[in-house]
Amino acid sequence: MPVLFRYQSSLMSLFFHRTRLKSRYILSIFVGLSLGFILSLACLPLMSVCDNSLSFFSDPLSSSINLQLLNETFSFRDPFRILSRQARSVVDVTLVDYGSKDYEPRIHPAPSQQADSNNQSSSTSTQAANAPKVTRPRYIADELGIREKVLVAVLTEANHLNTFAFFLNQTLQNYVNRLLFFINEDTENFPRSMEVIVIHDKKAYLKPFYVLKYLAEKMIKLYDWFVLMPDNTYVRGFKLNEFLNHISISQDLYMGQSFDDVHAVYCYFGSAIILSGTVLRKILDEIDWCTNNAYSQDVTDNIGRCILKAAKIPCMNTASNYKFNAYVNYRFEFDTDIERLSKKEEFNQTLTVHPISDLETMLKLQQYFHQVEIDEMTRSIAKYEETIENLSCYAPEGCGNIPWPVGIPPPFKPSSRFDVLRWDYFNETHIYLKTDIDVIDLMKPDDYEDIHEVIEHAVEQFQKKYGVHLKFKKLLNGYRQFDPTRGTHYIIDLILSDANNIEYIKRAELMRPLGLVEIVPMPFVTESTKIFLILPIYSDEQSAAIRFLQHANRTLFDKETHTQFELLLTHIVTSKQDPWQIQKWFTNIRLEVESIRRSRSQLTITYHTILVPSSATTSTHSTHILDYFETKLREDSLVFITNAYVDIESDFLNRCRLNVIQNVQVFYPIAFYQYHPRIIAQTYRLIENSTIELHKFHGWFNSYAYDHVGLYISDYSKLKSLLPSNIFLSSTNLYDLFVQYTDLHMLRAPDQALRVRYHPIKCDSIKQSNKLELNRCLIQKEKGLASRSQLAMIIIDNEQTKKPATKHTKK
């Protein structure tokens, strides 16, 4: 025990000794840390305020950060600290809680620019004045580099332009963006719809290099893919477009069918070659080497050697997991081989067939592959319909509650009675109640073809279900509704008869869905175009012309300047008159114009007199007017012809400027014609010279009148050059001539800013030989008096006033 005790006491003394040493050591460390922390706190403000150099970054790796901290004021609020890919340390990145404040991004100048900011502050205004202006392109597609999908270049011959080349043009133009045909000699005997390029070089083996150079220099910025092929190759346009839509344009691609062997590096030219724009750009850099080393007469060999040198890639037939299938058989006979080949899926998926020796085989292949594509679409639609029906069980409505037909949007649900879609009732020849005005109307050719196609399809479906012995006998009832959200809906009742002449009534419900909606490209138009407003004034319309000027002064003249608008007051006379009489006739109108010019000094108004033959009808006077102003105005002048009874609102002229397109479109607005004021006054209070109210009891949109037309003088001159020698402008309505002899669009639409005051319509001057014009005039005279309900009320009132008079007479 004593030994043990002594041992313990020695351990205790050693423990206390070590404890004292440790305490001193810890105390010294604590004091050192405290002094260092206090000194650092004391020095930080001095460094941030007095010393902004911070030269403690001496490591070469952090030199860029050192430079940035030397030239910038450090801020923890800056979320974009480092904008370049340089070495950086922890202090360069700042974490910002974007959820606690609004995020406001800012662009910071580069370090080299900010280093000289103090020196440049004095010359900021000078630099701003001398800075170059950035010119942006008109279309955003040019700025973003958006290109078309595919261009097809066909190597052909001049004697094939009307045969093989024309067939390719007709079958591919709806599926590719552009088709170019390259030939060796000049010719003018080819269809107008084809783009033909002549290569003036007798060396045939250099022809593909001219084609590649032309595409690389002229077309490379416009298209993503380029297809090269001969004219004796059949190409499935729909399949080619579908194939290219699944391939990425971010890769170098030299695609086709390998020549002779699957291990060959050249693509066979006969089965077509697909090149990406990046490969074509590389070919342009090596085009001289390619032409100098083209020692073969084989196009496949020359193109393949050139691409292998320029792009360093061999031929491939697979990209993005899609395979390029081509069928090459020099002994191919459609009638003998198609039955065997149709059973092979590889042939049904092929893109090209080569070679084709005659056009008849081309047409047969076109028909066969169209049927293959229809069958594929039918199977795909059936598969999608089944999938939709299965997924409908997970919808809130439950299983089976999906609109018919499957995959078509549900019917439009009107929010009020004014939005209810119209149903048109029809038989085999007429349509009833097509508009609010017409009771019955003979079917137009388009309607006739549409309805009878629906009837034939319905009969075909009934025969598949009940047997071919059922024959169509008669259409009992037919209903048609156009739904802008889904398509045209038909309900038809058919009378069918069997071999024993027993009749059956069957109802069919059909839907013609809307197809692919496309945007029709139109030329660029602007509202700054100058417009010449031609106002024909007859001898008995002087007061109407003065009223037109007064109304136009309130609504029109203050919005137009002399650079954008000019009014041409045109006096129409049918017999020669003395100049003094003409000037005297304009006296009252001149006084009104002068009073307007006191406040509208910028207004330009001119006076004209036109002699029109007395035999000419009013509806054909516009041709005489245009003949006169064709010599007075430039060909690119926009004119609008109207009548003296019209009230034009301020926004109509801009609409006319936008709707009339030179060499493309002529504008025939449908004006709102006022009913007889006395009939309107029976139910509504009218104020003299007040604005015509747009109401069904005040007037109607007269679609039978062609008095208002906007067009360019050049389009009228073109029409005159296209007319046959036996057609005279003075004998036919201008609208009918445009429709019959030109390909210009006729824009015909109601316009509420064009309102015509009531005036008597005279049909006596129209010759009986022009039955169309006579019918139009008689319809206007009949419908322009008042609405049917207003006329009925007048008849009822007259009958009631006659009855008391009759009773009084009997007494």
Side-chain angles (χ1 to χ4, degrees):
M1 288 297 294
V3 177
L4 183 58
F5 179 78
R6 286 195 299 269
Y7 178 70
Q8 289 179 347
S9 62
S10 63
L11 288 175
M12 290 294 293
S13 62
L14 181 61
F15 173 76
F16 285 117
H17 177 69
R18 291 181 176 178
T19 301
R20 287 193 299 270
L21 291 176
K22 188 175 182 180
S23 301
R24 293 175 182 175
Y25 179 72
I26 293 173
L27 182 61
S28 62
I29 293 176
F30 177 74
V31 172
L33 289 174
S34 301
L35 290 174
F37 182 71
I38 294 171
L39 290 174
S40 64
L41 290 177
C43 294
L44 269 179
L46 296 175
M47 292 171 64
S48 62
V49 175
C50 302
D51 188 8
N52 199 25
S53 61
L54 294 178
S55 59
F56 52 84
F57 289 101
S58 58
D59 186 42
L61 184 65
S62 60
S63 60
S64 61
I65 304 170
N66 186 21
L67 178 62
Q68 189 166 353
L69 292 175
L70 282 169
N71 296 284
E72 292 185 88
T73 303
F74 190 81
S75 173
F76 283 94
R77 297 180 181 178
D78 186 4
F80 296 105
R81 192 61 189 167
I82 300 296
L83 301 180
S84 60
R85 296 183 178 180
Q86 299 176 351
R88 56 184 180 178
S89 65
V90 179
V91 297
D92 296 318
V93 181
T94 304
L95 297 178
V96 180
D97 183 10
Y98 295 116
S100 61
K101 60 176 70 177
D102 292 335
Y103 174 54
E104 298 180 359
R106 291 177 294 169
I107 299 177
H108 293 268
S112 58
Q113 294 177 352
Q114 193 164 354
D116 300 330
S117 60
N118 295 330
N119 298 331
Q120 295 177 352
S121 59
S122 60
S123 60
T124 303
S125 59
T126 305
Q127 289 182 352
N130 297 331
K133 294 183 178 180
V134 178
T135 303
R136 298 184 63 185
R138 172 177 292 179
Y139 303 105
I140 192 172
D142 297 336
E143 189 171 24
L144 298 178
I146 299 175
R147 297 182 290 269
E148 299 285 355
K149 176 61 69 176
V150 58
L151 181 146
V152 176
V154 182
L155 277 68
T156 183
E157 300 176 4
N159 58 349
H160 288 177
L161 288 177
N162 292 291
T163 54
F164 290 101
F166 180 71
F167 178 86
L168 291 174
N169 185 70
Q170 295 299 104
T171 56
L172 289 180
Q173 62 181 351
N174 293 329
Y175 300 103
V176 300
N177 301 106
R178 195 168 183 180
L179 271 164
L180 298 179
F181 297 90
F182 294 86
I183 58 176
N184 291 330
E185 54 184 329
D186 293 328
T187 182
E188 296 182 357
N189 184 22
F190 62 89
R192 293 175 56 186
S193 60
M194 297 173 61
E195 292 188 62
V196 180
I197 300 172
V198 183
I199 299 174
H200 295 97
D201 197 317
K202 296 182 179 180
K203 299 177 181 179
Y205 68 93
L206 293 179
K207 185 177 180 180
F209 300 115
Y210 283 107
V211 174
L212 291 172
K213 183 178 180 182
Y214 179 86
L215 297 178
E217 291 179 346
K218 306 290 185 180
M219 304 294 172
I220 196 167
K221 295 182 179 180
L222 304 177
Y223 302 94
D224 290 329
W225 302 106
F226 299 87
V227 180
L228 279 69
M229 55 177 287
D231 60 0
N232 62 340
T233 298
Y234 173 77
V235 181
R236 297 175 63 184
F238 176 80
K239 204 71 177 177
L240 176 65
N241 191 21
E242 184 183 43
F243 178 78
L244 294 177
N245 284 334
H246 291 88
I247 300 177
S248 173
I249 63 173
S250 61
Q251 55 183 328
D252 292 349
L253 195 66
Y254 169 42
M255 176 172 277
Q257 187 184 45
S258 300
F259 182 60
D260 290 340
D261 187 357
V262 294
H263 301 292
V265 294
Y266 298 162
C267 291
Y268 180 46
F269 176 71
S271 60
I273 297 174
I274 300 177
L275 298 177
S276 63
T278 54
V279 171
L280 194 62
R281 188 176 288 105
K282 294 178 181 179
I283 291 175
L284 183 61
D285 298 336
E286 299 289 343
I287 196 69
D288 293 335
W289 184 94
C290 296
T291 54
N292 294 331
N293 291 272
Y295 49 81
S296 173
Q297 296 293 328
D298 188 6
V299 178
T300 300
D301 186 63
N302 289 335
I303 294 179
R305 187 185 303 107
C306 179
I307 295 175
L308 192 63
K309 166 65 177 177
K312 306 295 189 300
I313 55 174
C315 176
M316 61 181 71
N317 67 344
T318 303
S320 303
N321 296 327
Y322 286 86
K323 185 179 180 181
F324 182 96
N325 293 318
Y327 180 77
V328 179
N329 185 359
Y330 284 87
R331 298 180 179 178
F332 173 70
E333 292 290 339
F334 182 87
D335 296 331
T336 58
D337 296 342
I338 195 63
E339 184 177 357
R340 172 179 54 84
L341 293 173
S342 62
K343 300 177 182 179
K344 297 182 179 181
E345 185 63 23
E346 184 177 0
F347 179 77
N348 291 332
Q349 297 297 325
T350 190
L351 290 176
T352 62
V353 179
H354 177 84
I356 306 299
S357 58
D358 56 88
L359 283 178
E360 185 179 358
T361 304
M362 285 266 196
L363 291 170
K364 291 179 179 179
L365 283 172
Q366 178 81 353
Q367 184 179 5
Y368 171 77
F369 282 115
H370 274 182
Q371 188 60 45
V372 170
E373 291 164 2
I374 291 173
D375 295 340
E376 290 179 355
M377 291 180 183
T378 303
R379 291 192 296 269
S380 178
I381 290 172
K383 182 180 177 181
Y384 288 139
E385 286 181 351
E386 183 181 359
T387 302
I388 293 173
E389 290 176 355
N390 294 334
L391 293 176
S392 65
C393 297
Y394 300 97
E397 294 82 4
C399 297
N401 292 324
I402 53 178
W404 178 88
V406 179
I408 304 298
F412 171 74
K413 294 181 179 180
S415 57
S416 65
R417 63 185 181 91
F418 301 103
D419 300 327
V420 176
L421 299 178
R422 176 193 295 272
W423 281 92
D424 295 330
Y425 179 81
F426 60 87
N427 57 21
E428 295 184 45
T429 57
H430 291 76
I431 298 179
Y432 296 84
L433 302 174
K434 190 175 181 179
T435 65
D436 294 334
I437 301 174
D438 300 325
V439 178
I440 185 172
D441 190 17
L442 184 66
M443 282 186 187
K444 296 180 180 179
D446 293 339
D447 291 328
Y448 185 87
E449 182 181 355
D450 170 54
I451 289 173
H452 281 75
E453 183 182 1
V454 169
I455 294 174
E456 291 174 3
H457 182 76
V459 172
E460 182 182 348
Q461 297 303 316
F462 282 131
Q463 289 176 346
K464 288 181 180 179
K465 185 174 182 179
Y466 300 107
V468 294
H469 61 280
L470 288 178
K471 303 297 182 181
F472 171 71
K473 186 175 182 180
K474 183 182 179 182
L475 174 65
L476 186 61
N477 298 300
Y479 307 90
R480 182 179 67 174
Q481 180 194 62
F482 175 71
D483 190 334
T485 62
R486 61 201 311 253
T488 307
H489 190 192
Y490 303 87
I491 298 177
I492 55 177
D493 296 329
L494 303 177
I495 299 179
L496 306 175
S497 61
D498 58 8
N500 299 322
N501 290 329
I502 301 176
E503 295 184 351
Y504 302 89
I505 298 177
K506 297 292 183 181
R507 167 164 288 192
E509 187 175 359
L510 303 96
M511 168 64 66
R512 192 190 295 272
L514 291 175
L516 179 64
V517 179
E518 299 181 3
I519 299 176
V520 179
M522 296 296 287
F524 178 76
V525 292
T526 176
E527 295 181 353
S528 61
T529 305
K530 184 174 183 177
I531 185 170
F532 294 88
L533 179 59
I534 302 175
L535 187 71
I537 310 171
Y538 294 90
S539 299
D540 57 346
E541 295 178 348
Q542 193 177 70
S543 59
I546 294 174
R547 184 171 54 185
F548 168 84
L549 292 171
Q550 294 172 350
H551 183 272
N553 186 36
R554 297 192 301 268
T555 61
L556 200 64
F557 292 158
D558 60 336
K559 303 290 181 63
E560 303 292 340
T561 61
H562 69 281
T563 59
Q564 294 183 336
F565 175 78
E566 184 172 337
L567 178 61
L568 310 177
L569 300 178
T570 307
H571 183 202
I572 306 297
V573 296
T574 56
S575 60
K576 290 186 178 181
Q577 298 179 3
D578 295 333
W580 179 80
Q581 292 179 344
I582 295 174
Q583 294 294 330
K584 183 179 179 181
W585 187 88
F586 272 114
T587 301
N588 295 332
I589 297 178
R590 287 180 183 274
L591 293 175
E592 184 66 30
V593 171
E594 292 301 327
S595 64
I596 293 174
R597 277 179 173 167
R598 295 190 188 100
S599 58
R600 315 286 186 194
S601 58
Q602 80 283 1
L603 188 63
T604 303
I605 300 178
T606 57
Y607 304 91
H608 306 268
T609 301
I610 299 178
L611 177 62
V612 176
S614 57
S615 59
T617 60
T618 307
S619 59
T620 60
H621 283 180
S622 57
T623 57
H624 297 278
I625 295 171
L626 288 173
D627 285 337
Y628 172 81
F629 284 106
E630 189 180 12
T631 61
K632 301 291 183 180
L633 303 175
R634 296 168 51 184
E635 283 200 349
D636 59 348
S637 299
L638 170 60
V639 299
F640 180 76
I641 303 175
T642 183
N643 59 44
Y645 298 95
V646 71
D647 289 347
I648 301 179
E649 302 301 326
S650 59
D651 57 339
F652 173 77
L653 292 184
N654 282 338
R655 196 152 49 248
C656 183
R657 292 183 178 104
L658 297 178
N659 290 334
V660 181
I661 306 174
Q662 192 173 11
N663 299 324
V664 177
Q665 185 167 278
V666 177
F667 183 37
Y668 272 91
I670 300 176
F672 185 80
Y673 277 64
Q674 186 186 30
Y675 287 143
H676 198 292
R678 291 185 180 180
I679 299 178
I680 300 175
Q682 291 183 2
T683 53
Y684 295 91
R685 182 182 177 184
L686 288 180
I687 302 175
E688 189 176 358
N689 293 331
S690 62
T691 304
I692 302 173
E693 186 178 352
L694 196 68
H695 193 277
K696 65 178 182 178
F697 290 142
H698 287 224
W700 65 303
F701 283 102
N702 186 358
S703 60
Y704 301 95
Y706 297 89
D707 301 340
H708 320 279
V709 55
L711 75 164
Y712 278 90
I713 295 293
S714 59
D715 293 334
Y716 177 71
S717 303
K718 181 181 178 182
L719 170 65
K720 292 173 63 176
S721 64
L722 295 175
L723 289 179
S725 57
N726 59 340
I727 300 296
F728 299 98
L729 284 168
S730 58
S731 61
T732 312
N733 191 298
L734 185 62
Y735 174 83
D736 298 326
L737 294 175
F738 271 117
V739 172
Q740 187 173 0
Y741 295 103
T742 69
D743 55 355
L744 298 177
H745 298 170
M746 296 291 112
L747 180 58
R748 191 105 167 98
D751 199 309
Q752 63 178 4
L754 205 63
R755 307 180 187 186
V756 180
R757 296 189 177 275
Y758 177 81
H759 59 282
I761 298 176
K762 301 176 182 179
C763 302
D764 300 335
S765 61
I766 302 179
K767 296 181 180 180
Q768 295 292 334
S769 58
N770 196 343
K771 293 183 178 180
L772 180 61
E773 285 299 317
L774 181 60
N775 290 335
R776 287 172 179 170
C777 185
L778 292 176
I779 291 174
Q780 293 182 68
K781 190 173 183 179
E782 175 187 346
K783 296 186 176 184
L785 187 62
S787 66
R788 287 180 295 179
S789 61
Q790 288 173 315
L791 294 176
M793 291 300 299
I794 293 174
I795 294 174
I796 293 172
D797 293 341
N798 289 339
E799 290 180 352
Q800 291 177 354
T801 54
K802 288 180 180 179
K803 287 181 180 179
T806 305
K807 292 180 181 180
H808 181 72
T809 305
K810 289 181 179 180
K811 289 180 180 179

